[in-house]
Amino acid sequence: MAYPPAGNMAYPPAGNMAYPPAGNVGYPPAGNMGYPPGGMMGAPPAGSPGYPGGGFPIPPTLPLNPSWPGPGSGPYGSSGSSTHPESEGFTSSSWSTTAVRHAFIRKVYLILTAQLSVTVAIVAAFTFSESVQKFVQGNSALYWTAYGVFIVVYLVLICCEGPRRRFPWNVILLAIFTLAMSYLTGTIASYYSTKSVFMCLGITTLVCLGVTLFCFQTKVDFTSCTGLFCALGIGLFVGGIVISIVLSFKYIPWLHSLYAAAAAVIFTLFLAFDTQLILGNRKHSISPEEYVYAALRLYTDMVQIFINLLQLFGSRE
């Protein structure tokens, strides 16, 4: 039966109050409502009405405090994600991801600083020392060997995800790439005057700092224009091949300067694109696991800007 027989109800007999007398703590006196005597909170007997199997009743739900954050109220949205003004647009569930991104950015720029330090030291040695200048200019085979190493390691790091993510091979490959690129840059700089080299180093530094600061605060999303940047890269590559073939037959200074100026502008745009990929607050971003790949991209952009500025503004000794 859905109800107990008459006289066996768990409610107090007729005449008793439906609520306990004043002074009780909200529980009926011992022996009432199916609880055992003595005031102990034991389980009611099996088969008691309303408690199948003699289990404890489910306690009442606490009333919600209006000051507590809940779905759709307070500083939290319906999904529980924080939209507090101090969250800078990140959700509360993404703060751990943001911390990972910040650690990734620090790691990338530390690696980049080490790479640039090595390159600047080699360029300075090739520029100041006359004996080193004569050696590198008289041994073109070393230049082409370094160029071959640069191409091979660059393709491995760009195309092969395994080596560039697996420590310590990614660091070793990046170190080899940096040394090869530094040797190429130092050899090119050895043909220019010291004043020109340091002037172009200063211009490159200002350009890179300006682009980085611009990318940190601008609302322009360069990562949404991947098609445009692919077209620029292909045009730069094909144009470089054509210019090299033309200049090998007859050197045309204005054509060389025009290509160097265009390349410097394009690599400056590439630097902005790659910086926003690393920051990760745009349409596309680089995975935090790809710190070697990210440092490689920034380093290549900056060195190419320096080389093209040197060809554009530098004066030969």
Side-chain angles (χ1 to χ4, degrees), residues 248-294:
S248 64
F249 289 99
K250 182 180 179 180
Y251 182 72
I252 306 174
W254 67 266
L255 185 60
H256 188 188
S257 299
L258 179 63
Y259 178 79
V265 172
I266 291 174
F267 276 108
T268 301
L269 294 175
F270 282 159
L271 179 61
F273 178 83
D274 294 334
T275 300
Q276 288 193 341
L277 285 179
I278 292 170
L279 295 180
N281 55 355
R282 297 296 190 270
K283 182 177 180 180
H284 300 288
S285 61
I286 296 179
S287 169
E289 298 178 358
E290 298 282 9
Y291 57 92
V292 167
Y293 177 62

mmCIF file of all heavy atoms in Angstrom, residues 248-294:
data_model
loop_
_atom_site.group_PDB
_atom_site.id
_atom_site.type_symbol
_atom_site.label_atom_id
_atom_site.label_comp_id
_atom_site.label_asym_id
_atom_site.label_seq_id
_atom_site.Cartn_x
_atom_site.Cartn_y
_atom_site.Cartn_z
ATOM 1 N N SER A 248 73.394 38.098 -61.710
ATOM 2 C CA SER A 248 74.583 37.300 -62.013
ATOM 3 C C SER A 248 75.127 37.590 -63.413
ATOM 4 O O SER A 248 76.323 37.406 -63.668
ATOM 5 C CB SER A 248 74.259 35.811 -61.885
ATOM 6 O OG SER A 248 73.289 35.422 -62.849
ATOM 7 N N PHE A 249 74.283 38.055 -64.312
ATOM 8 C CA PHE A 249 74.722 38.412 -65.666
ATOM 9 C C PHE A 249 75.173 39.876 -65.729
ATOM 10 O O PHE A 249 76.187 40.187 -66.338
ATOM 11 C CB PHE A 249 73.604 38.164 -66.681
ATOM 12 C CG PHE A 249 73.338 36.708 -66.935
ATOM 13 C CD1 PHE A 249 72.292 36.062 -66.307
ATOM 14 C CD2 PHE A 249 74.153 35.986 -67.800
ATOM 15 C CE1 PHE A 249 72.050 34.717 -66.542
ATOM 16 C CE2 PHE A 249 73.914 34.635 -68.033
ATOM 17 C CZ PHE A 249 72.868 33.995 -67.398
ATOM 18 N N LYS A 250 74.404 40.736 -65.101
ATOM 19 C CA LYS A 250 74.757 42.155 -65.102
ATOM 20 C C LYS A 250 74.252 42.789 -63.815
ATOM 21 O O LYS A 250 73.058 42.711 -63.501
ATOM 22 C CB LYS A 250 74.143 42.871 -66.310
ATOM 23 C CG LYS A 250 74.530 44.344 -66.392
ATOM 24 C CD LYS A 250 73.894 45.012 -67.593
ATOM 25 C CE LYS A 250 74.270 46.494 -67.650
ATOM 26 N NZ LYS A 250 73.653 47.169 -68.814
ATOM 27 N N TYR A 251 75.151 43.390 -63.071
ATOM 28 C CA TYR A 251 74.761 43.999 -61.798
ATOM 29 C C TYR A 251 74.055 45.317 -62.051
ATOM 30 O O TYR A 251 74.595 46.225 -62.713
ATOM 31 C CB TYR A 251 75.982 44.219 -60.909
ATOM 32 C CG TYR A 251 75.621 44.812 -59.558
ATOM 33 C CD1 TYR A 251 74.977 44.054 -58.591
ATOM 34 C CD2 TYR A 251 75.903 46.143 -59.272
ATOM 35 C CE1 TYR A 251 74.630 44.584 -57.368
ATOM 36 C CE2 TYR A 251 75.570 46.690 -58.048
ATOM 37 C CZ TYR A 251 74.928 45.907 -57.101
ATOM 38 O OH TYR A 251 74.575 46.447 -55.893
ATOM 39 N N ILE A 252 72.832 45.424 -61.521
ATOM 40 C CA ILE A 252 72.023 46.641 -61.649
ATOM 41 C C ILE A 252 71.763 47.163 -60.243
ATOM 42 O O ILE A 252 70.944 46.589 -59.506
ATOM 43 C CB ILE A 252 70.689 46.352 -62.377
ATOM 44 C CG1 ILE A 252 70.950 45.665 -63.724
ATOM 45 C CG2 ILE A 252 69.908 47.642 -62.584
ATOM 46 C CD1 ILE A 252 69.690 45.224 -64.430
ATOM 47 N N PRO A 253 72.455 48.218 -59.824
ATOM 48 C CA PRO A 253 72.347 48.683 -58.423
ATOM 49 C C PRO A 253 70.919 49.015 -58.004
ATOM 50 O O PRO A 253 70.496 48.654 -56.899
ATOM 51 C CB PRO A 253 73.248 49.919 -58.406
ATOM 52 C CG PRO A 253 74.207 49.713 -59.532
ATOM 53 C CD PRO A 253 73.433 48.998 -60.586
ATOM 54 N N TRP A 254 70.167 49.718 -58.847
ATOM 55 C CA TRP A 254 68.827 50.132 -58.437
ATOM 56 C C TRP A 254 67.893 48.936 -58.269
ATOM 57 O O TRP A 254 67.009 48.937 -57.401
ATOM 58 C CB TRP A 254 68.239 51.137 -59.427
ATOM 59 C CG TRP A 254 67.942 50.574 -60.790
ATOM 60 C CD1 TRP A 254 68.757 50.597 -61.889
ATOM 61 C CD2 TRP A 254 66.745 49.904 -61.196
ATOM 62 N NE1 TRP A 254 68.153 49.991 -62.959
ATOM 63 C CE2 TRP A 254 66.914 49.556 -62.562
ATOM 64 C CE3 TRP A 254 65.558 49.557 -60.554
ATOM 65 C CZ2 TRP A 254 65.928 48.876 -63.288
ATOM 66 C CZ3 TRP A 254 64.577 48.880 -61.265
ATOM 67 C CH2 TRP A 254 64.763 48.548 -62.623
ATOM 68 N N LEU A 255 68.088 47.893 -59.095
ATOM 69 C CA LEU A 255 67.267 46.687 -58.967
ATOM 70 C C LEU A 255 67.586 45.946 -57.669
ATOM 71 O O LEU A 255 66.677 45.451 -56.975
ATOM 72 C CB LEU A 255 67.502 45.782 -60.170
ATOM 73 C CG LEU A 255 66.629 44.526 -60.267
ATOM 74 C CD1 LEU A 255 65.152 44.908 -60.332
ATOM 75 C CD2 LEU A 255 67.021 43.693 -61.466
ATOM 76 N N HIS A 256 68.882 45.890 -57.355
ATOM 77 C CA HIS A 256 69.291 45.274 -56.099
ATOM 78 C C HIS A 256 68.712 46.031 -54.903
ATOM 79 O O HIS A 256 68.195 45.434 -53.948
ATOM 80 C CB HIS A 256 70.819 45.241 -56.030
ATOM 81 C CG HIS A 256 71.339 44.452 -54.874
ATOM 82 N ND1 HIS A 256 72.678 44.431 -54.523
ATOM 83 C CD2 HIS A 256 70.720 43.655 -53.969
ATOM 84 C CE1 HIS A 256 72.834 43.644 -53.471
ATOM 85 N NE2 HIS A 256 71.659 43.171 -53.113
ATOM 86 N N SER A 257 68.780 47.356 -54.932
ATOM 87 C CA SER A 257 68.252 48.179 -53.836
ATOM 88 C C SER A 257 66.737 48.047 -53.724
ATOM 89 O O SER A 257 66.182 48.014 -52.623
ATOM 90 C CB SER A 257 68.641 49.641 -54.043
ATOM 91 O OG SER A 257 70.037 49.796 -54.045
ATOM 92 N N LEU A 258 66.062 47.953 -54.875
ATOM 93 C CA LEU A 258 64.604 47.817 -54.858
ATOM 94 C C LEU A 258 64.182 46.508 -54.200
ATOM 95 O O LEU A 258 63.257 46.480 -53.372
ATOM 96 C CB LEU A 258 64.065 47.898 -56.289
ATOM 97 C CG LEU A 258 62.544 47.761 -56.456
ATOM 98 C CD1 LEU A 258 61.817 48.904 -55.748
ATOM 99 C CD2 LEU A 258 62.160 47.711 -57.924
ATOM 100 N N TYR A 259 64.865 45.443 -54.561
ATOM 101 C CA TYR A 259 64.526 44.148 -53.956
ATOM 102 C C TYR A 259 64.849 44.143 -52.461
ATOM 103 O O TYR A 259 64.068 43.605 -51.662
ATOM 104 C CB TYR A 259 65.293 43.022 -54.658
ATOM 105 C CG TYR A 259 65.021 41.669 -54.045
ATOM 106 C CD1 TYR A 259 63.839 40.983 -54.347
ATOM 107 C CD2 TYR A 259 65.918 41.088 -53.151
ATOM 108 C CE1 TYR A 259 63.572 39.746 -53.774
ATOM 109 C CE2 TYR A 259 65.652 39.850 -52.580
ATOM 110 C CZ TYR A 259 64.484 39.188 -52.896
ATOM 111 O OH TYR A 259 64.212 37.973 -52.328
ATOM 112 N N ALA A 260 65.972 44.736 -52.070
ATOM 113 C CA ALA A 260 66.342 44.785 -50.649
ATOM 114 C C ALA A 260 65.312 45.571 -49.850
ATOM 115 O O ALA A 260 64.938 45.181 -48.734
ATOM 116 C CB ALA A 260 67.736 45.397 -50.495
ATOM 117 N N ALA A 261 64.823 46.689 -50.405
ATOM 118 C CA ALA A 261 63.810 47.487 -49.703
ATOM 119 C C ALA A 261 62.509 46.708 -49.560
ATOM 120 O O ALA A 261 61.881 46.694 -48.489
ATOM 121 C CB ALA A 261 63.574 48.791 -50.459
ATOM 122 N N ALA A 262 62.093 46.034 -50.652
ATOM 123 C CA ALA A 262 60.860 45.242 -50.586
ATOM 124 C C ALA A 262 61.003 44.096 -49.590
ATOM 125 O O ALA A 262 60.075 43.812 -48.809
ATOM 126 C CB ALA A 262 60.516 44.714 -51.979
ATOM 127 N N ALA A 263 62.154 43.437 -49.580
ATOM 128 C CA ALA A 263 62.373 42.322 -48.658
ATOM 129 C C ALA A 263 62.378 42.796 -47.213
ATOM 130 O O ALA A 263 61.848 42.116 -46.319
ATOM 131 C CB ALA A 263 63.688 41.623 -48.993
ATOM 132 N N ALA A 264 62.979 43.966 -46.953
ATOM 133 C CA ALA A 264 62.999 44.494 -45.583
ATOM 134 C C ALA A 264 61.584 44.775 -45.091
ATOM 135 O O ALA A 264 61.231 44.467 -43.938
ATOM 136 C CB ALA A 264 63.846 45.761 -45.529
ATOM 137 N N VAL A 265 60.735 45.331 -45.960
ATOM 138 C CA VAL A 265 59.349 45.619 -45.576
ATOM 139 C C VAL A 265 58.573 44.325 -45.338
ATOM 140 O O VAL A 265 57.826 44.188 -44.357
ATOM 141 C CB VAL A 265 58.673 46.477 -46.661
ATOM 142 C CG1 VAL A 265 57.176 46.618 -46.370
ATOM 143 C CG2 VAL A 265 59.312 47.847 -46.744
ATOM 144 N N ILE A 266 58.756 43.355 -46.236
ATOM 145 C CA ILE A 266 58.016 42.095 -46.113
ATOM 146 C C ILE A 266 58.430 41.340 -44.852
ATOM 147 O O ILE A 266 57.580 40.799 -44.127
ATOM 148 C CB ILE A 266 58.235 41.228 -47.368
ATOM 149 C CG1 ILE A 266 57.542 41.875 -48.565
ATOM 150 C CG2 ILE A 266 57.696 39.816 -47.152
ATOM 151 C CD1 ILE A 266 57.798 41.181 -49.884
ATOM 152 N N PHE A 267 59.729 41.303 -44.549
ATOM 153 C CA PHE A 267 60.156 40.611 -43.334
ATOM 154 C C PHE A 267 59.730 41.364 -42.077
ATOM 155 O O PHE A 267 59.536 40.748 -41.023
ATOM 156 C CB PHE A 267 61.674 40.401 -43.345
ATOM 157 C CG PHE A 267 62.104 39.187 -44.105
ATOM 158 C CD1 PHE A 267 62.733 39.294 -45.332
ATOM 159 C CD2 PHE A 267 61.862 37.913 -43.598
ATOM 160 C CE1 PHE A 267 63.115 38.165 -46.040
ATOM 161 C CE2 PHE A 267 62.237 36.782 -44.290
ATOM 162 C CZ PHE A 267 62.860 36.910 -45.527
ATOM 163 N N THR A 268 59.551 42.669 -42.161
ATOM 164 C CA THR A 268 58.987 43.415 -41.026
ATOM 165 C C THR A 268 57.538 42.998 -40.792
ATOM 166 O O THR A 268 57.102 42.826 -39.641
ATOM 167 C CB THR A 268 59.074 44.926 -41.293
ATOM 168 O OG1 THR A 268 60.442 45.298 -41.493
ATOM 169 C CG2 THR A 268 58.521 45.704 -40.108
ATOM 170 N N LEU A 269 56.776 42.808 -41.874
ATOM 171 C CA LEU A 269 55.405 42.308 -41.743
ATOM 172 C C LEU A 269 55.395 40.883 -41.210
ATOM 173 O O LEU A 269 54.541 40.524 -40.382
ATOM 174 C CB LEU A 269 54.690 42.376 -43.100
ATOM 175 C CG LEU A 269 54.441 43.773 -43.668
ATOM 176 C CD1 LEU A 269 53.837 43.678 -45.066
ATOM 177 C CD2 LEU A 269 53.523 44.569 -42.748
ATOM 178 N N PHE A 270 56.338 40.064 -41.664
ATOM 179 C CA PHE A 270 56.443 38.704 -41.139
ATOM 180 C C PHE A 270 56.735 38.715 -39.635
ATOM 181 O O PHE A 270 56.223 37.882 -38.887
ATOM 182 C CB PHE A 270 57.554 37.939 -41.856
ATOM 183 C CG PHE A 270 57.173 37.439 -43.217
ATOM 184 C CD1 PHE A 270 58.139 37.122 -44.153
ATOM 185 C CD2 PHE A 270 55.849 37.280 -43.578
ATOM 186 C CE1 PHE A 270 57.791 36.658 -45.411
ATOM 187 C CE2 PHE A 270 55.482 36.821 -44.831
ATOM 188 C CZ PHE A 270 56.467 36.505 -45.752
ATOM 189 N N LEU A 271 57.564 39.663 -39.208
ATOM 190 C CA LEU A 271 57.875 39.771 -37.775
ATOM 191 C C LEU A 271 56.618 40.088 -36.975
ATOM 192 O O LEU A 271 56.389 39.510 -35.896
ATOM 193 C CB LEU A 271 58.942 40.838 -37.545
ATOM 194 C CG LEU A 271 59.358 41.099 -36.102
ATOM 195 C CD1 LEU A 271 59.953 39.843 -35.469
ATOM 196 C CD2 LEU A 271 60.358 42.256 -36.022
ATOM 197 N N ALA A 272 55.786 40.986 -37.486
ATOM 198 C CA ALA A 272 54.522 41.301 -36.804
ATOM 199 C C ALA A 272 53.608 40.087 -36.774
ATOM 200 O O ALA A 272 52.977 39.785 -35.742
ATOM 201 C CB ALA A 272 53.838 42.476 -37.505
ATOM 202 N N PHE A 273 53.520 39.374 -37.885
ATOM 203 C CA PHE A 273 52.689 38.168 -37.967
ATOM 204 C C PHE A 273 53.158 37.107 -36.970
ATOM 205 O O PHE A 273 52.354 36.544 -36.207
ATOM 206 C CB PHE A 273 52.755 37.630 -39.400
ATOM 207 C CG PHE A 273 51.980 36.365 -39.622
ATOM 208 C CD1 PHE A 273 50.620 36.404 -39.872
ATOM 209 C CD2 PHE A 273 52.610 35.131 -39.597
ATOM 210 C CE1 PHE A 273 49.899 35.236 -40.087
ATOM 211 C CE2 PHE A 273 51.899 33.967 -39.804
ATOM 212 C CZ PHE A 273 50.541 34.018 -40.052
ATOM 213 N N ASP A 274 54.467 36.844 -36.934
ATOM 214 C CA ASP A 274 55.001 35.807 -36.049
ATOM 215 C C ASP A 274 54.898 36.217 -34.579
ATOM 216 O O ASP A 274 54.685 35.372 -33.701
ATOM 217 C CB ASP A 274 56.460 35.506 -36.410
ATOM 218 C CG ASP A 274 56.590 34.870 -37.783
ATOM 219 O OD1 ASP A 274 55.622 34.235 -38.228
ATOM 220 O OD2 ASP A 274 57.655 35.008 -38.415
ATOM 221 N N THR A 275 55.052 37.504 -34.306
ATOM 222 C CA THR A 275 54.924 37.973 -32.914
ATOM 223 C C THR A 275 53.508 37.733 -32.401
ATOM 224 O O THR A 275 53.318 37.282 -31.257
ATOM 225 C CB THR A 275 55.285 39.465 -32.819
ATOM 226 O OG1 THR A 275 56.628 39.664 -33.262
ATOM 227 C CG2 THR A 275 55.150 39.963 -31.391
ATOM 228 N N GLN A 276 52.507 38.003 -33.215
ATOM 229 C CA GLN A 276 51.130 37.768 -32.781
ATOM 230 C C GLN A 276 50.824 36.276 -32.668
ATOM 231 O O GLN A 276 50.020 35.869 -31.819
ATOM 232 C CB GLN A 276 50.156 38.438 -33.742
ATOM 233 C CG GLN A 276 50.140 39.951 -33.618
ATOM 234 C CD GLN A 276 48.967 40.583 -34.341
ATOM 235 O OE1 GLN A 276 48.353 39.977 -35.217
ATOM 236 N NE2 GLN A 276 48.648 41.816 -33.989
ATOM 237 N N LEU A 277 51.453 35.450 -33.496
ATOM 238 C CA LEU A 277 51.290 34.003 -33.332
ATOM 239 C C LEU A 277 51.810 33.551 -31.972
ATOM 240 O O LEU A 277 51.260 32.652 -31.338
ATOM 241 C CB LEU A 277 52.038 33.261 -34.438
ATOM 242 C CG LEU A 277 51.431 33.261 -35.837
ATOM 243 C CD1 LEU A 277 52.341 32.503 -36.798
ATOM 244 C CD2 LEU A 277 50.037 32.648 -35.847
ATOM 245 N N ILE A 278 52.894 34.174 -31.515
ATOM 246 C CA ILE A 278 53.498 33.795 -30.230
ATOM 247 C C ILE A 278 52.670 34.338 -29.065
ATOM 248 O O ILE A 278 52.489 33.656 -28.048
ATOM 249 C CB ILE A 278 54.945 34.302 -30.169
ATOM 250 C CG1 ILE A 278 55.802 33.536 -31.175
ATOM 251 C CG2 ILE A 278 55.529 34.165 -28.771
ATOM 252 C CD1 ILE A 278 57.175 34.100 -31.378
ATOM 253 N N LEU A 279 52.141 35.545 -29.205
ATOM 254 C CA LEU A 279 51.325 36.112 -28.130
ATOM 255 C C LEU A 279 50.068 35.284 -27.889
ATOM 256 O O LEU A 279 49.601 35.158 -26.759
ATOM 257 C CB LEU A 279 50.947 37.555 -28.465
ATOM 258 C CG LEU A 279 52.092 38.565 -28.536
ATOM 259 C CD1 LEU A 279 51.561 39.942 -28.870
ATOM 260 C CD2 LEU A 279 52.872 38.585 -27.236
ATOM 261 N N GLY A 280 49.490 34.738 -28.949
ATOM 262 C CA GLY A 280 48.382 33.796 -28.795
ATOM 263 C C GLY A 280 47.042 34.409 -28.502
ATOM 264 O O GLY A 280 46.118 33.710 -28.123
ATOM 265 N N ASN A 281 46.862 35.726 -28.653
ATOM 266 C CA ASN A 281 45.563 36.343 -28.371
ATOM 267 C C ASN A 281 44.864 36.788 -29.648
ATOM 268 O O ASN A 281 44.081 37.720 -29.643
ATOM 269 C CB ASN A 281 45.744 37.543 -27.436
ATOM 270 C CG ASN A 281 46.757 38.552 -27.992
ATOM 271 O OD1 ASN A 281 47.380 38.315 -29.018
ATOM 272 N ND2 ASN A 281 46.917 39.665 -27.296
ATOM 273 N N ARG A 282 45.164 36.088 -30.747
ATOM 274 C CA ARG A 282 44.555 36.408 -32.029
ATOM 275 C C ARG A 282 43.901 35.149 -32.605
ATOM 276 O O ARG A 282 43.751 34.148 -31.909
ATOM 277 C CB ARG A 282 45.601 36.965 -33.000
ATOM 278 C CG ARG A 282 46.241 38.296 -32.562
ATOM 279 C CD ARG A 282 45.224 39.415 -32.495
ATOM 280 N NE ARG A 282 45.849 40.728 -32.320
ATOM 281 C CZ ARG A 282 46.121 41.283 -31.157
ATOM 282 N NH1 ARG A 282 45.846 40.600 -30.055
ATOM 283 N NH2 ARG A 282 46.654 42.479 -31.074
ATOM 284 N N LYS A 283 43.531 35.217 -33.882
ATOM 285 C CA LYS A 283 42.802 34.106 -34.502
ATOM 286 C C LYS A 283 43.633 32.828 -34.511
ATOM 287 O O LYS A 283 43.125 31.739 -34.251
ATOM 288 C CB LYS A 283 42.408 34.495 -35.928
ATOM 289 C CG LYS A 283 41.604 33.427 -36.655
ATOM 290 C CD LYS A 283 41.189 33.912 -38.034
ATOM 291 C CE LYS A 283 40.374 32.838 -38.753
ATOM 292 N NZ LYS A 283 39.954 33.282 -40.107
ATOM 293 N N HIS A 284 44.919 32.936 -34.817
ATOM 294 C CA HIS A 284 45.810 31.784 -34.854
ATOM 295 C C HIS A 284 46.941 31.992 -33.861
ATOM 296 O O HIS A 284 47.303 33.127 -33.537
ATOM 297 C CB HIS A 284 46.379 31.573 -36.258
ATOM 298 C CG HIS A 284 45.350 31.334 -37.306
ATOM 299 N ND1 HIS A 284 44.635 30.154 -37.389
ATOM 300 C CD2 HIS A 284 44.886 32.125 -38.320
ATOM 301 C CE1 HIS A 284 43.789 30.215 -38.411
ATOM 302 N NE2 HIS A 284 43.915 31.409 -38.981
ATOM 303 N N SER A 285 47.514 30.893 -33.376
ATOM 304 C CA SER A 285 48.607 30.984 -32.413
ATOM 305 C C SER A 285 49.484 29.746 -32.529
ATOM 306 O O SER A 285 49.070 28.723 -33.073
ATOM 307 C CB SER A 285 48.076 31.112 -30.979
ATOM 308 O OG SER A 285 47.311 29.964 -30.635
ATOM 309 N N ILE A 286 50.708 29.869 -32.012
ATOM 310 C CA ILE A 286 51.653 28.758 -31.983
ATOM 311 C C ILE A 286 51.495 28.024 -30.664
ATOM 312 O O ILE A 286 51.351 28.638 -29.601
ATOM 313 C CB ILE A 286 53.097 29.268 -32.151
ATOM 314 C CG1 ILE A 286 53.267 29.916 -33.534
ATOM 315 C CG2 ILE A 286 54.102 28.141 -31.994
ATOM 316 C CD1 ILE A 286 54.651 30.478 -33.780
ATOM 317 N N SER A 287 51.535 26.708 -30.714
ATOM 318 C CA SER A 287 51.409 25.896 -29.506
ATOM 319 C C SER A 287 52.568 26.175 -28.550
ATOM 320 O O SER A 287 53.708 26.370 -28.993
ATOM 321 C CB SER A 287 51.390 24.411 -29.880
ATOM 322 O OG SER A 287 51.520 23.602 -28.733
ATOM 323 N N PRO A 288 52.316 26.206 -27.235
ATOM 324 C CA PRO A 288 53.403 26.412 -26.272
ATOM 325 C C PRO A 288 54.503 25.355 -26.341
ATOM 326 O O PRO A 288 55.602 25.583 -25.832
ATOM 327 C CB PRO A 288 52.674 26.373 -24.925
ATOM 328 C CG PRO A 288 51.288 26.782 -25.221
ATOM 329 C CD PRO A 288 50.993 26.224 -26.583
ATOM 330 N N GLU A 289 54.218 24.210 -26.947
ATOM 331 C CA GLU A 289 55.256 23.192 -27.099
ATOM 332 C C GLU A 289 56.263 23.554 -28.193
ATOM 333 O O GLU A 289 57.336 22.963 -28.264
ATOM 334 C CB GLU A 289 54.618 21.844 -27.428
ATOM 335 C CG GLU A 289 53.699 21.309 -26.347
ATOM 336 C CD GLU A 289 53.053 19.999 -26.751
ATOM 337 O OE1 GLU A 289 53.302 19.551 -27.898
ATOM 338 O OE2 GLU A 289 52.330 19.416 -25.929
ATOM 339 N N GLU A 290 55.920 24.526 -29.031
ATOM 340 C CA GLU A 290 56.751 24.873 -30.182
ATOM 341 C C GLU A 290 57.641 26.076 -29.885
ATOM 342 O O GLU A 290 57.756 26.992 -30.693
ATOM 343 C CB GLU A 290 55.853 25.166 -31.393
ATOM 344 C CG GLU A 290 55.017 24.005 -31.853
ATOM 345 C CD GLU A 290 55.826 23.002 -32.669
ATOM 346 O OE1 GLU A 290 57.058 23.139 -32.728
ATOM 347 O OE2 GLU A 290 55.205 22.085 -33.240
ATOM 348 N N TYR A 291 58.293 26.101 -28.737
ATOM 349 C CA TYR A 291 59.118 27.259 -28.380
ATOM 350 C C TYR A 291 60.341 27.385 -29.278
ATOM 351 O O TYR A 291 60.799 28.491 -29.586
ATOM 352 C CB TYR A 291 59.516 27.194 -26.906
ATOM 353 C CG TYR A 291 60.247 25.945 -26.483
ATOM 354 C CD1 TYR A 291 61.637 25.885 -26.509
ATOM 355 C CD2 TYR A 291 59.552 24.823 -26.048
ATOM 356 C CE1 TYR A 291 62.310 24.727 -26.117
ATOM 357 C CE2 TYR A 291 60.215 23.667 -25.665
ATOM 358 C CZ TYR A 291 61.591 23.632 -25.692
ATOM 359 O OH TYR A 291 62.253 22.487 -25.316
ATOM 360 N N VAL A 292 60.905 26.258 -29.726
ATOM 361 C CA VAL A 292 62.054 26.298 -30.637
ATOM 362 C C VAL A 292 61.618 26.841 -31.998
ATOM 363 O O VAL A 292 62.298 27.681 -32.602
ATOM 364 C CB VAL A 292 62.684 24.903 -30.766
ATOM 365 C CG1 VAL A 292 63.666 24.845 -31.939
ATOM 366 C CG2 VAL A 292 63.413 24.539 -29.479
ATOM 367 N N TYR A 293 60.498 26.364 -32.482
ATOM 368 C CA TYR A 293 59.971 26.829 -33.769
ATOM 369 C C TYR A 293 59.641 28.315 -33.714
ATOM 370 O O TYR A 293 59.919 29.062 -34.672
ATOM 371 C CB TYR A 293 58.734 26.009 -34.120
ATOM 372 C CG TYR A 293 58.025 26.415 -35.374
ATOM 373 C CD1 TYR A 293 58.657 26.341 -36.607
ATOM 374 C CD2 TYR A 293 56.702 26.859 -35.325
ATOM 375 C CE1 TYR A 293 57.995 26.708 -37.771
ATOM 376 C CE2 TYR A 293 56.036 27.220 -36.488
ATOM 377 C CZ TYR A 293 56.685 27.140 -37.703
ATOM 378 O OH TYR A 293 56.030 27.506 -38.845
ATOM 379 N N ALA A 294 59.076 28.776 -32.604
ATOM 380 C CA ALA A 294 58.730 30.194 -32.463
ATOM 381 C C ALA A 294 59.985 31.060 -32.439
ATOM 382 O O ALA A 294 60.047 32.099 -33.108
ATOM 383 C CB ALA A 294 57.923 30.398 -31.183
#
